[in-house]
Amino acid sequence: MERLVTAHEMQQFDAYTINKVGLLSLVLMERAALACLTQLEQQSINLRHVAVCCGYGNNGGDGIAIARLLKLRNIDVTLYLIGDPTRSTAEVVKQLNIAKAYHVPIMTTLPNDLSQYDVLIDALFGVGLSRDIDGDFAAMIHTINQSGAFVMSVDMPSGISADTGQILGVAVKADMTVALAYKKLGLVLYPGAQYAGKVMLADIGIYANPSQASYYSYLPCDLAEKLPKRADYANKGTFGKVLVIAGSNHMSGAAYFSAKAAYRTGSGLVHIYTPHANRDILSTQLPEALISTYQPDHIDTSKLSELIQWANVIVVGPGMGVSAATQQILTQLLAMADQPIIIDADGLNVLAQDLTLLDKHRGPIFVTPHLGEMARLLNTNIKGIASHLVASAMQFSQHHQVTCILKDTRTVITSADNCAVYINQSGNNGMATGGSGDVLTGILAGLIAQGIDLDIAAPVSVYLHGLAGDHAAKKHGQYAMLASDIIEHLSDVMTQYT
Ligand SMILES: NC(=O)C1=CN([C@@H]2O[C@H](COP(=O)(O)OP(=O)(O)OC[C@H]3O[C@@H](n4cnc5c(N)ncnc54)[C@H](OP(=O)(O)O)[C@@H]3O)[C@@H](O)[C@H]2O)[C@@H](O)CC1
Ligand SMILES: [K+]
């Protein structure tokens, strides 16, 4: 598991390490500078002419120490100091005195051009960036971005919010960022992840006191432990029963993807409930599935009740269309069922028309909106959601007591009981293809059917979905891969990592 931190958490850890543990601030800074230098030396780039661009906060302090270490290696280095010197931290004052003692060349005027340098080190702002950048700092960042030099950012690309990954006015486009102690959320969330370039993590001796992470991602080594164990002595009932309510007249693809993914993830039985017109095609495509059908203009409520009682977990919504039938099925489901329900796609669009439906359900609810669906659920616009992924998902989870899987390049998962927030880092742009979301609902249902702990069901499913997508992309390429390829590569991932 990889822990991710906010700016506030990082500041708390820094303060705890310095004030309670007793490690000197200058020692941490020296380690930060050495770690940056080591990373730089491992890149195959020229280090003949280097400029280090510093502010007067401690991120600048790291930069001044880096400039001095470069000077000691006989590299031609120039230190540019931007901003108001009266705002210098105590560490910056000390670092500057040391740098002067080692004769590091220091400039305090804004350069018009930095293209004569091979490498630029960006130490303008780290986790202390608190507002939009303008004036001299903005001019400096534009000059850095226009230089054509290799750019290494210290801790954060200056201008990127450590909490949201958003650009505060203007931001440095780095080739590489050395994250000190922990990756900040803004290095993982977009557009920050793109501005950061390659992210390297450096241990500088920070002691994180609170052991419970507030934000985390999974790593491949987590899968074996998290996937539900399979009993040797088993029958098909052992691995759970999934009900997939999906599809609309002559539109059976979503039901197929969801049901097949649930089987491929290991569930014992999958029952599809879909309009009558889809029976023949689905029974041909997926003979393993049980199939019951309905006439969209006349839902048989007693048949639906029977299916609800049969299932351990229910998927509702993929490909159903926003219709009276979808509305009726969702309403009955939420009123009757007490097992976990996964609401996706048109299930969410119908829900957005009447969110009080959620109050009726007694069991756990998982919602899987993409940005457009989330905007409808929160009655806002996509831009607002995209720039505040974590806050948006958290707001919906807490207000409606549901697990929210907000799907984006970095899918964010928040839970009703305010557990740690999961941010997914597996997957690739080839997964932005029709049917990919249906596959995710099937994986989630499949794992829940097999008894995975509900607290980790959503993160494990999203991570597994992304890894299967990465395997599919390796085989078919990101342009050509299909949702069905994600399903086909579930087996590689589940055998490789377990
Ligand atoms: N000892 C430690 O704690 C360690 C810290 N370490 C390093 O320190 C970094 C954190 O340092 P930091 O907290 O000093 O913040 P930093 O990012 O340098 O910037 C703060 C300055 O920027 C200013 N400012 C903010 N926004 C602005 C804007 N838009 N436009 C203009 N000014 C703006 C702000 O001004 P103010 O808001 O006070 O007016 C303040 O002066 C961390 O990322 C890591 O690299 C490591 O070495 C490990 C040990
Ligand atoms: K920086």
Side-chain angles (χ1 to χ4, degrees):
M1 184 185 293
E2 177 176 42
R3 182 176 193 158
L4 307 170
V5 300
T6 61
H8 179 67
E9 283 181 306
M10 196 63 238
Q11 282 154 351
Q12 282 184 319
F13 298 163
D14 284 344
Y16 187 89
T17 307
I18 294 162
N19 302 328
K20 292 279 193 312
V21 178
L23 258 176
L24 296 179
S25 183
L26 283 184
V27 171
L28 297 176
M29 224 170 235
E30 199 68 15
R31 287 192 64 176
L34 279 165
C36 290
L37 196 62
T38 306
Q39 289 298 343
L40 206 53
E41 285 174 336
Q42 282 170 4
Q43 310 303 308
S44 45
I45 43 171
N46 272 330
L47 273 178
R48 282 174 314 204
H49 307 293
V50 182
V52 187
C53 311
C54 300
Y56 285 94
N58 281 345
N59 193 252
D62 293 343
I64 302 167
I66 295 170
R68 183 227 318 145
L69 294 174
L70 286 165
K71 171 83 179 160
L72 288 171
R73 279 173 168 64
N74 291 319
I75 290 165
D76 170 40
V77 60
T78 306
L79 183 59
Y80 288 91
L81 285 171
I82 309 296
D84 176 2
T86 64
R87 310 287 302 173
S88 301
T89 62
E91 288 82 355
V92 165
V93 172
K94 286 182 194 153
Q95 290 291 2
L96 264 180
N97 286 337
I98 301 169
K100 283 174 189 161
Y102 282 95
H103 306 293
V104 176
I106 300 176
M107 306 285 287
T108 52
T109 47
L110 266 181
N112 291 323
D113 181 17
L114 290 166
S115 59
Q116 70 271 35
Y117 296 102
D118 304 310
V119 174
L120 298 178
I121 294 175
D122 153 37
L124 294 171
F125 303 108
V127 295
L129 180 72
S130 56
R131 54 190 180 275
D132 274 10
I133 295 175
D134 55 17
D136 284 358
F137 286 109
M140 187 67 174
I141 289 175
H142 284 301
T143 311
I144 291 173
N145 287 344
Q146 280 158 12
S147 67
F150 181 94
V151 179
M152 188 194 83
S153 287
V154 179
D155 211 16
M156 286 297 302
S158 298
I160 295 294
S161 159
D163 291 345
T164 64
Q166 294 299 298
I167 300 165
L168 299 187
V170 57
V172 169
K173 286 189 187 126
D175 295 288
M176 181 172 114
T177 297
V178 179
L180 303 174
Y182 295 98
K183 278 193 207 166
K184 287 76 196 171
L185 295 183
L187 292 176
V188 172
L189 297 170
Y190 280 83
Q194 200 169 347
Y195 274 66
K198 185 171 164 192
V199 177
M200 309 303 294
L201 196 58
D203 172 18
I204 60 165
I206 297 287
Y207 182 86
N209 185 33
S211 55
Q212 187 71 41
S214 311
Y215 300 88
Y216 70 104
S217 293
Y218 282 142
L219 300 169
C221 58
D222 294 314
L223 259 194
E225 182 207 335
K226 306 289 178 199
L227 285 175
K229 303 287 170 280
R230 291 184 60 95
D232 291 334
Y233 184 71
N235 59 54
K236 58 194 175 199
T238 315
F239 302 121
K241 293 176 265 183
V242 175
L243 175 61
V244 174
I245 307 178
S248 49
N249 259 340
H250 299 289
M251 301 285 277
S252 59
Y256 167 75
F257 287 130
S258 187
K260 186 161 186 188
Y263 264 135
R264 279 275 192 233
T265 312
S267 56
L269 283 170
V270 180
H271 200 134
I272 300 173
Y273 189 52
T274 191
H276 189 66
N278 299 333
R279 177 183 282 281
D280 290 350
I281 176 103
L282 283 170
S283 58
T284 310
Q285 282 182 318
L286 194 63
E288 296 88 346
L290 306 165
I291 299 176
S292 293
T293 60
Y294 61 88
Q295 295 295 356
D297 54 2
H298 178 71
I299 310 283
D300 177 352
T301 52
S302 62
K303 178 64 190 175
L304 182 55
S305 304
E306 189 190 304
L307 291 172
I308 292 171
Q309 275 159 19
W310 171 85
N312 299 118
V313 52
I314 301 165
V315 172
V316 62
M320 286 180 82
V322 178
S323 64
T326 307
Q327 159 93 41
Q328 191 187 334
I329 289 171
L330 187 66
T331 306
Q332 184 178 342
L333 208 56
L334 288 168
M336 268 194 67
D338 57 8
Q339 58 274 71
I341 297 185
I342 300 158
I343 310 176
D344 187 35
D346 290 322
L348 296 172
N349 293 331
V350 165
L351 195 62
Q353 297 168 356
D354 180 10
L355 284 166
T356 62
L357 286 176
L358 286 174
D359 304 340
K360 305 206 170 77
H361 188 55
R362 288 157 289 148
I365 295 180
F366 295 80
V367 294
T368 56
H370 56 52
L371 297 188
E373 288 156 353
M374 189 85 244
R376 282 191 279 281
L377 288 169
L378 288 174
N379 197 17
T380 180
N381 55 42
I382 292 181
K383 203 165 164 234
I385 305 281
S387 56
H388 292 90
L389 283 183
V390 173
S392 305
M394 226 175 223
Q395 181 190 340
F396 195 77
S397 271
Q398 283 171 16
H399 195 262
H400 297 286
Q401 293 295 294
V402 299
T403 299
C404 181
I405 302 169
L406 178 51
K407 297 182 294 195
D408 196 18
T409 303
R410 297 288 192 233
T411 292
V412 165
I413 301 173
T414 55
S415 57
D417 50 7
N418 214 358
C419 284
V421 174
Y422 177 78
I423 298 178
N424 192 56
Q425 295 186 62
S426 64
N428 60 81
N429 62 26
M431 298 176 74
T433 184
S436 180
D438 308 325
V439 173
L440 175 62
T441 59
I443 293 173
L444 177 56
L447 291 181
I448 293 175
Q450 291 169 85
I452 193 170
D453 181 346
L454 288 183
D455 288 342
I456 61 167
V460 172
S461 302
V462 169
Y463 185 58
L464 181 57
H465 181 242
L467 283 184
D470 288 339
H471 278 241
K474 233 179 244 166
K475 171 104 187 279
H476 302 280
Q478 288 168 359
Y479 286 96
M481 63 182 277
L482 300 175
S484 47
D485 298 321
I486 305 174
I487 299 178
E488 295 317 315
H489 285 83
L490 279 168
S491 61
D492 302 352
V493 177
M494 293 171 89
T495 44
Q496 181 173 340
Y497 296 114
T498 55

